[in-house]
Amino acid sequence: MKIATYNVNGVNGRLPVLLRWLEETSPDVVCLQELKAPQEKFPEQAIKDAGYKAIWHGQKSWNGVAILAKNLEIKETRRGLPGDEEDLHSRYIEAFINGIVVGCLYLPNGNPSPGPKFDYKLAWFERLTTHAKSLLARKIPVVLVGDYNVMPTELDVYKPERWVNDALFRPETRQAFHNLVGQGWTDALRKLHPGEKIYTFWDYFRNAYARDAGLRIDHFLLSPELDKRLLTAGVDRHVRGWEKSSDHGPVWIEIED
């Protein structure tokens, strides 16, 4: 079973790229972030024609998350994180698919930091950590996947000295990620590639992709019940080089079905 995540950076504007990638790789489950489309503008029919069922949580111009499944039933279990009824951002959606709880997330960027946006990022991280703990307590296979907007270690960022004051790399952000993982989650890419330079994002500026000046900010966190089924993991780096592509590359894992 192949599960993938892809920050599409605008699902309608990048639809040809998304459909090409789906046809090329045919993952069983796909988590999308940054749809940048209201609920009624999600390209449901095009996704359906590609062979996928979908649930999504849209928002005009910003954010937005979706889960796609091929030849599998999707039972939505949650949209939005608990803990703040006033938070209307479309950043989390969760479903039960083929015996696995799939949480698809788009964590806030948090820049500029310090400031209100950074405070919101850390508060959202805390709510995610609280919810994640409740998922672990169920002792069933769970994957929390998506764009975390955090580089956990210096290995995860090109020229880390340039990022010390950025919200994605500040000590508070990295500590929040380590606190989450410390509950008992496994960082799938790091488990299989512990010392390897792996990036999932390359900026549009300064020829970053060609120079491989990237960041690893898209992560798979696996519960113990799913960790033992992990087989392989990787990044479809070449997709970032396609015309009119997102600044992220698709990331994937394969698990025993």
Side-chain angles (χ1 to χ4, degrees), residues 2-195:
K2 187 174 185 178
I3 305 174
T5 184
Y6 191 14
N7 180 321
V8 289
N9 192 17
V11 68
N12 288 300
R14 317 279 182 199
L15 187 59
V17 171
L18 173 60
L19 296 176
R20 176 183 173 187
W21 170 70
L22 288 174
E23 184 177 10
E24 180 183 282
T25 62
S26 194
D28 300 291
V29 177
V30 182
C31 293
L32 302 178
Q33 302 87 38
E34 273 203 278
L35 304 179
K36 296 182 177 178
Q39 192 73 7
E40 67 276 10
K41 295 293 185 180
F42 183 82
E44 181 180 14
Q45 190 58 51
I47 297 295
K48 186 177 180 180
D49 292 344
Y52 288 84
K53 298 174 184 175
I55 60 171
W56 64 96
H57 188 195
Q59 184 176 338
K60 185 179 180 181
S61 301
W62 308 101
N63 307 322
V65 285
I67 302 176
L68 320 182
K70 189 170 191 176
N71 302 320
L72 295 168
E73 291 298 319
I74 305 179
K75 180 183 179 182
E76 182 177 325
T77 53
R78 169 171 292 280
R79 59 176 55 203
L81 279 178
D84 185 355
E85 294 181 357
E86 295 182 359
D87 182 8
L88 301 179
H89 286 199
S90 300
R91 294 185 175 275
Y92 187 85
I93 193 166
E94 185 181 285
F96 192 66
I97 306 173
N98 199 29
I100 299 171
V101 174
V102 179
C104 171
L105 63 99
Y106 175 49
L107 207 133
N109 177 287
N111 281 305
S113 64
K117 291 185 177 181
F118 188 59
D119 294 341
Y120 172 63
K121 179 190 186 91
L122 295 181
W124 204 94
F125 228 137
E126 190 170 331
R127 288 163 55 206
L128 174 64
T129 303
T130 299
H131 182 57
K133 186 176 182 180
S134 71
L135 291 174
L136 277 182
R138 296 169 64 183
K139 298 190 181 300
I140 59 175
V142 183
V143 57
L144 293 176
V145 56
D147 180 356
Y148 280 75
N149 268 318
V150 53
M151 297 88 80
T153 71
E154 291 193 352
L155 183 61
D156 301 310
V157 51
Y158 174 79
K159 293 196 173 180
E161 67 275 8
R162 295 185 177 179
W163 291 82
V164 289
N165 294 317
D166 192 279
L168 280 68
F169 199 55
R170 284 183 66 99
E172 303 96 321
T173 304
R174 293 160 67 187
Q175 187 60 52
F177 184 83
H178 292 310
N179 289 346
L180 172 60
V181 174
Q183 292 179 334
W185 301 92
T186 296
D187 180 342
L189 261 72
R190 272 293 162 248
K191 178 184 180 181
L192 296 182
H193 307 279

